[in-house]
Amino acid sequence: MPTSFAAMGDSPASPTSATASQTDVKPEIVGIVVPGASTFGGDIAMHTEVYKPAGNGPFPVLIFEHGRSGDPLVRAKLDAPILKGHVRFWLARGFAIVAPIRVGYGLTGGPDRENSGSSFKNGQCVRRPDFGKLAKVTAEANLAALKWVQAQPWADTNRVVLEGRSVGGFTTVSTAATNPPGVVGYINFSGGAGGSPELSPQHSCDPEQMETVYGDFGKTTKIPGLWLYAHNDQYWGPDAPKQWFDAFAASGSPAKFVHTEDVVGHDGHMLLTYGGKMWSEPVNEFLKQIGF
């Protein structure tokens, strides 16, 4: 049954934060094709980082999806889809990690397929976004990564976990709603779309539509999930994430909601980066729940 609880934390610093980088972790780089993703209908290969534990496997696999900056220059320069400290978190648990840069970002390039159409003026949302379209294209990219994983001899194709942050967190939920074979759980960090802490802090564009979209996901999702948000998330504010989760969980989809304390000294939207002491225990508990 869907559940929710609040998590406590005493420090934004953690061994899994961006600042904890004792030794570099080198990825293998591969291309994962997203069919028909170019402007004119051709295929595009996502620049993808792959990390594996020592040995031959088969390893359980984490597929990680990055977020989205509102600044097109930042999106164009995206070259690191996952924090190295977070890679170490999963390697220590025996997982291989697959982290693509989706179409429209950084080293992958291509059209901006993930522009939901959100727009603000004087702090108000002035154009209706299309979160349904965003759900479709993000799930397509994630499912392409999953298809690639399932063809790898080192992958345990029946033990795949999806994880993402911000729009990447939304992506994990949109993908889980399709119940792809082999996926045994998903983790949504600060997931959503249409936020702008600069133009409209704590009030995203059309959160009611997002609530509806998440509610529709919940009608089909049978895969267990973990949703993690901080109270001081400057993209969504303190209330909308719980409303989104409640809409999702209303149909009985098996998920847990964790609302942490403020991420002190940082935008709570950066919970994954700076709030390791808040989220590591719930994540470890979730992994036990799903058989790890």
Side-chain angles (χ1 to χ4, degrees):
M1 291 297 293
T3 58
S4 66
F5 65 92
M8 304 297 288
D10 57 4
S11 171
S14 79
T16 53
S17 76
T19 58
S21 180
Q22 297 90 0
T23 58
D24 198 13
V25 182
K26 300 287 188 182
E28 175 188 355
I29 303 299
V30 303
I32 296 180
V33 172
V34 182
S38 76
T39 302
F40 301 105
D43 299 345
I44 293 182
M46 296 185 291
H47 179 99
T48 303
E49 295 184 352
V50 178
Y51 304 84
K52 288 179 284 187
N56 297 320
F59 309 111
V61 181
L62 179 86
I63 300 177
F64 183 86
E65 296 291 353
H66 62 78
R68 174 184 176 87
S69 171
D71 185 336
L73 294 178
V74 174
R75 294 198 301 272
K77 293 178 179 178
L78 179 61
D79 62 357
I82 184 170
L83 298 167
K84 293 300 188 289
H86 203 53
V87 168
R88 285 190 289 275
F89 176 89
W90 287 100
L91 287 175
R93 285 152 183 79
F95 278 74
I97 301 100
V98 175
I101 295 177
R102 296 189 303 278
V103 176
Y105 299 84
L107 295 171
T108 294
D112 184 11
R113 306 171 80 221
E114 298 184 9
N115 183 355
S116 67
S118 302
S119 181
F120 295 90
K121 184 176 182 180
N122 299 324
Q124 300 296 316
C125 178
V126 294
R127 185 169 62 195
R128 180 174 172 81
D130 188 344
F131 295 140
K133 176 186 175 184
L134 178 66
K136 179 177 182 293
V137 298
T138 56
E140 285 175 357
N142 211 9
L143 289 169
L146 177 62
K147 181 179 180 180
W148 181 86
V149 164
Q150 290 173 332
Q152 305 310 305
W154 47 261
D156 185 340
T157 57
N158 293 314
R159 302 180 82 203
V160 178
V161 175
L162 308 178
E163 184 185 53
R165 66 189 305 172
S166 193
V167 168
F170 176 84
T171 300
T172 69
V173 188
S174 69
T175 307
T178 71
N179 297 299
V183 175
V184 296
Y186 70 93
I187 303 172
N188 164 20
F189 273 96
S190 310
S196 177
E198 299 85 8
L199 300 176
S200 182
Q202 298 195 22
H203 296 283
S204 61
C205 195
D206 203 352
E208 295 80 14
Q209 183 194 165
M210 181 59 70
E211 182 176 338
T212 299
V213 169
Y214 271 133
D216 289 341
F217 291 159
K219 294 174 183 177
T220 61
T221 308
K222 297 178 174 59
I223 298 168
L226 176 64
W227 296 40
L228 300 121
Y229 293 78
H231 272 281
N232 65 328
D233 189 311
Q234 298 304 298
Y235 282 72
W236 324 128
D239 300 323
K242 184 60 167 59
Q243 293 165 359
W244 298 343
F245 175 80
D246 287 346
F248 173 87
S251 299
S253 186
K256 179 179 289 185
F257 183 86
V258 176
H259 219 173
T260 77
E261 294 179 342
D262 290 358
V263 180
V264 178
H266 300 279
D267 177 355
H269 197 66
M270 301 298 286
L271 173 65
L272 175 60
T273 304
Y274 298 108
K277 287 189 176 180
M278 300 182 198
W279 60 253
S280 57
E281 182 177 347
V283 168
N284 286 327
E285 289 177 356
F286 177 68
L287 291 175
K288 285 184 182 179
Q289 173 195 329
I290 60 176
F292 294 100

